[in-house]
Amino acid sequence: MVYISNQVRSIWIVLFSLFLFNINAYAADLPDFTELVEEHSEAVVNISTVSHVDSRAPFQFQGNMDQLPDIFKHFFGQPQIPRQDGPAEPKRQAQSMGSGFIVSKDGTILTNNHVVEGADEIYVRFSDRRELKAKLIGSDKRSDLAVLKVEAEDLPAVKLGQSKKLKVGEWVFAIGSPFGFDYTVTAGIVSAKGRSLPNENNENYVPFIQTDVAINPGNSGGPLFNMDGEVVGINSQIYTRSGGFMGVSFAIPIDVAMEVVAQLSSQGYVSRGWLGVLIQEVNKDLAESFGLDKPYGALVAQVVEGSPAQKAGIQTGDIIIEFEGEEINLSSELPQLVGRAKVGETVKLKIVRNKDTKVIKLKIGELTNDKATTEQIQPAEQAKVNRLSVKVAALDKNALADLNIKFGVKVLHVTEGPASKAGIRQGDVITSLNNQTFKSVDEFEKLVESLPKKRAVPALIIRRGNPSFIVIKTED
C-alpha cells in the first residue's frame, strides 16, 4: 500500500486547483456566439434552384467512343436500334442548394452567382419555413455574385460592416446550409486578407478574405459575420482535395460585394476599369535583372493594341509599382485596383522603366467580355545553336499577326545550357532579350553574342499565346 503525506496531498490539490482555474480563465476568453446567432440568423436564407432538362437528351460520354463496347453505346447517344420520334417525355428537374442573406427589408437578397447560374426557377426559404419564388435582378460571374428579389415586406435584414477594417486573427463566424443542414453555425478566425484566386479565365478581381471557418457545399452565398454581428464577407470558395472542408475557406469582402450590388441593381451589369496590359509577378531573379532592389510591382508582359495603356505610353517591360498612390507589392493587387476604378477617370501610375522611375497619367477604359485568341504558330526553318544553346527561326507574317507582334523568333530546339536552365522550351517565341527588340534572326543572334557574361538578363517569351518574362543567366 502506498501512503501519500499530507504535504504532498496539499501540493497536488493546489496544482489541480490552478489547472482548473486556468481552464476556466481560458474558456472565459473564448467568444460567445449564442446571442449573435439568435439575433442575426433570421436574415439568413436557404436558396434552392430548379433547372429543366429534356429527359430525351442523351448523356454525353466523356471519352473515346471507339473504345466503348458496342453493348453500352446506345446509352451514350448512339442507339443500336433506331427509334421513331414520339411525343415529348416529361422533363426531369435538376436541383441545387446554397445560402444567401437579406440585405434590405423589401426583399433584396445576396448570394453567389454559382448558386443560381443556369437556374430556371429560384426559391428562397426563410427561418420561419416560408418559401417564396425569387427573381434574378442581376449576376456577375467575375466576382461570383448574384442579386435576388422576393415580393415581401418588413423582412429581417443583416447589418453590413466594413471588410477593410478586418484584422488578421480576429474571430468571425458563418451561418449557412452545408449539405442542406439549415442554419448551421461555424466559427474561426481571419487567416489572411487580399488573397488572389484567379478564376477560369485567369482573372482576379476579388481580394478574398481567407478564414479557417468550416465551409462546405451549401454554405456558398452565406454571410460571414464579425463579432459585432455585421456581415463582412460572403462565403464563396474552399480549398480542398477531398470535396469537403480542409481548414481553408475564402469569402468575398462585403465592401467589394456592395459595389457590385449597386451596379447590378441600377444597370443590370457591372462596369469595370481596364488598362489593357498583361502582367506577371516580379520574382527575385526578375527584380535583379530589371535593376530593382527587391521583388515588387506588376511587370508588363504585353500591351494591348489600342488600349488605354498603349495610348498613355505604357511599354512592355515597364514595372507598375503604384496605382493612384497605392503601392503594388504583388501583381495580383493591380487588377483589383483597376477593376474598381471608374471608367473614364484619369489616374496616375508610377512605373519603373530602364531603372528610372516615372509617373504616367492614364484614362481608365472599360473591361469587356471579349477575349483574344491565338492559334498555333507555324515555324519557319532553320538556324544555328547559339551561346544560349537554342536553335531559332523567324515567324511568317500570319504567325506574327496572330500573336500581335512585329517580330519574334520561334525556338526550334533547346540543348543543355542557359536557355534550358531558364525554362525555355521548344515552341516558345522570344520577342525581346535584355530589354531589346530585334527585326531579324541575325539581329537576335548578334544580340545573344553581345550579352554580358555571367549576368541575369530578362527575356520576353510567348508560350501558348501568353507572354511572360523569364530570366536567363549567361555563363560566359
Side-chain angles (χ1 to χ4, degrees):
M1 184 175 291
V2 178
Y3 294 94
I4 301 175
S5 67
N6 291 334
Q7 184 178 8
V8 173
R9 185 182 294 110
S10 298
I11 293 173
W12 276 108
I13 290 173
V14 170
L15 290 175
F16 186 69
S17 299
L18 289 172
F19 174 72
L20 291 178
F21 175 80
N22 287 332
I23 289 178
N24 291 331
Y26 174 75
D29 289 337
L30 292 175
D32 184 359
F33 298 98
T34 54
E35 291 185 7
L36 290 169
V37 173
E38 289 175 1
E39 183 179 354
H40 301 289
S41 61
E42 289 185 350
V44 182
V45 298
N46 174 277
I47 297 175
S48 59
T49 64
V50 177
S51 299
H52 300 301
V53 182
D54 189 345
S55 61
R56 295 180 301 173
F59 177 82
Q60 296 298 316
F61 176 66
Q62 301 297 317
N64 188 343
M65 188 69 72
D66 294 334
Q67 296 178 359
L68 194 68
D70 291 339
I71 193 172
F72 295 122
K73 287 185 178 179
H74 71 281
F75 289 113
F76 302 104
Q78 292 190 2
Q80 291 176 301
I81 302 175
R83 63 181 182 185
Q84 295 182 353
D85 292 335
E89 299 177 17
K91 293 182 177 181
R92 60 179 183 263
Q93 297 178 331
Q95 294 187 340
S96 67
M97 298 183 68
S99 304
F101 55 96
I102 306 166
V103 293
S104 66
K105 293 183 178 182
D106 63 354
T108 302
I109 295 169
L110 191 56
T111 186
N112 284 147
N113 172 68
H114 74 261
V115 170
V116 298
E117 187 174 21
D120 294 309
E121 300 173 28
I122 304 171
Y123 294 93
V124 175
R125 188 167 69 248
F126 300 86
S127 59
D128 58 7
R129 297 189 178 182
R130 282 186 300 161
E131 189 171 282
L132 297 176
K133 192 171 183 177
K135 178 183 178 182
L136 178 63
I137 301 299
S139 62
D140 179 52
K141 194 169 184 177
R142 283 189 168 107
S143 60
D144 193 22
L145 291 169
V147 180
L148 311 178
K149 183 73 167 60
V150 295
E151 294 299 326
E153 296 180 356
D154 201 28
L155 294 174
V158 298
K159 182 169 59 173
L160 300 178
Q162 292 181 289
S163 48
K164 65 182 179 182
K165 292 184 178 180
L166 273 178
K167 294 183 178 179
V168 175
E170 73 171 272
W171 284 94
V172 286
F173 68 98
I175 303 177
S177 303
F179 304 110
F181 295 109
D182 291 355
Y183 298 95
T184 297
V185 182
T186 52
I189 62 168
V190 176
S191 304
K193 295 173 62 180
R195 290 299 196 203
S196 174
L197 302 175
N199 60 21
E200 59 188 13
N201 295 322
N202 203 33
E203 300 171 329
N204 50 350
Y205 290 100
V206 177
F208 286 93
I209 303 165
Q210 180 186 330
T211 76
D212 65 354
V213 177
I215 300 297
N216 283 289
N219 274 114
S220 292
L224 182 72
F225 292 93
N226 63 15
M227 294 306 294
D228 291 325
E230 300 169 332
V231 174
V232 290
I234 300 141
N235 299 308
S236 177
Q237 299 186 39
I238 59 174
Y239 177 84
T240 179
R241 293 177 178 173
S242 64
F245 178 68
M246 293 184 66
V248 181
S249 55
F250 300 94
I252 303 166
I254 196 63
D255 297 346
V256 174
M258 294 314 294
E259 292 176 2
V260 171
V261 170
Q263 293 195 54
L264 288 177
S265 300
S266 62
Q267 60 191 26
Y269 67 95
V270 179
S271 175
R272 285 188 173 85
W274 179 61
L275 288 185
V277 293
L278 185 65
I279 58 173
Q280 71 177 91
E281 200 68 66
V282 180
N283 58 27
K284 179 178 177 294
D285 291 335
L286 282 171
E288 178 185 343
S289 68
F290 279 92
L292 298 181
D293 56 354
K294 64 175 182 178
Y296 73 117
L299 176 58
V300 177
Q302 184 181 42
V303 181
V304 177
E305 188 78 23
S307 67
Q310 187 195 48
K311 293 175 182 177
I314 298 289
Q315 300 176 9
T316 300
D318 288 348
I319 300 176
I320 303 173
I321 58 174
E322 278 188 17
F323 180 88
E324 280 291 275
E326 291 276 346
E327 185 175 12
I328 308 298
N329 290 307
L330 300 173
S331 63
S332 58
E333 297 170 356
L334 182 61
Q336 297 162 11
L337 292 171
V338 175
R340 297 174 70 179
K342 292 182 180 180
V343 175
E345 179 183 16
T346 299
V347 298
K348 292 181 180 179
L349 278 68
K350 184 180 286 189
I351 68 167
V352 175
R353 178 183 297 166
N354 297 327
K355 301 182 181 180
D356 293 328
T357 302
K358 62 185 303 183
V359 174
I360 291 180
K361 290 184 178 181
L362 179 147
K363 189 175 182 179
I364 295 291
E366 183 172 10
L367 181 68
T368 67
N369 291 319
D370 296 331
K371 300 173 188 173
T373 57
T374 306
E375 297 181 3
Q376 183 72 30
I377 307 164
Q378 300 299 325
E381 291 297 329
Q382 283 314 65
K384 58 183 180 180
V385 174
N386 53 36
R387 62 184 288 224
L388 296 183
S389 300
V390 294
K391 283 185 179 182
V392 300
L395 297 173
D396 60 30
K397 292 181 179 180
N398 291 333
L400 293 173
D402 288 340
L403 291 172
N404 194 27
I405 57 176
K406 294 181 179 178
F407 195 84
V409 293
K410 180 167 182 177
V411 177
L412 300 178
H413 184 64
V414 184
T415 58
E416 184 67 25
S420 64
K421 293 177 182 178
I424 295 286
R425 304 176 189 171
Q426 181 180 345
D428 288 347
V429 175
I430 304 173
T431 61
S432 79
L433 186 62
N434 199 22
N435 293 321
Q436 298 181 55
T437 57
F438 37 86
K439 297 180 180 179
S440 66
V441 173
D442 287 340
E443 284 190 19
F444 172 77
E445 296 295 349
K446 290 178 182 179
L447 181 56
V448 170
E449 294 304 317
S450 67
L451 291 176
K453 298 180 179 179
K454 296 183 179 180
R455 285 278 302 276
V457 298
L460 180 59
I461 68 167
I462 299 176
R463 178 176 296 163
R464 295 177 181 173
N466 298 314
S468 63
F469 279 95
I470 65 170
V471 175
I472 300 176
K473 295 185 177 180
T474 58
E475 294 177 348
D476 52 29

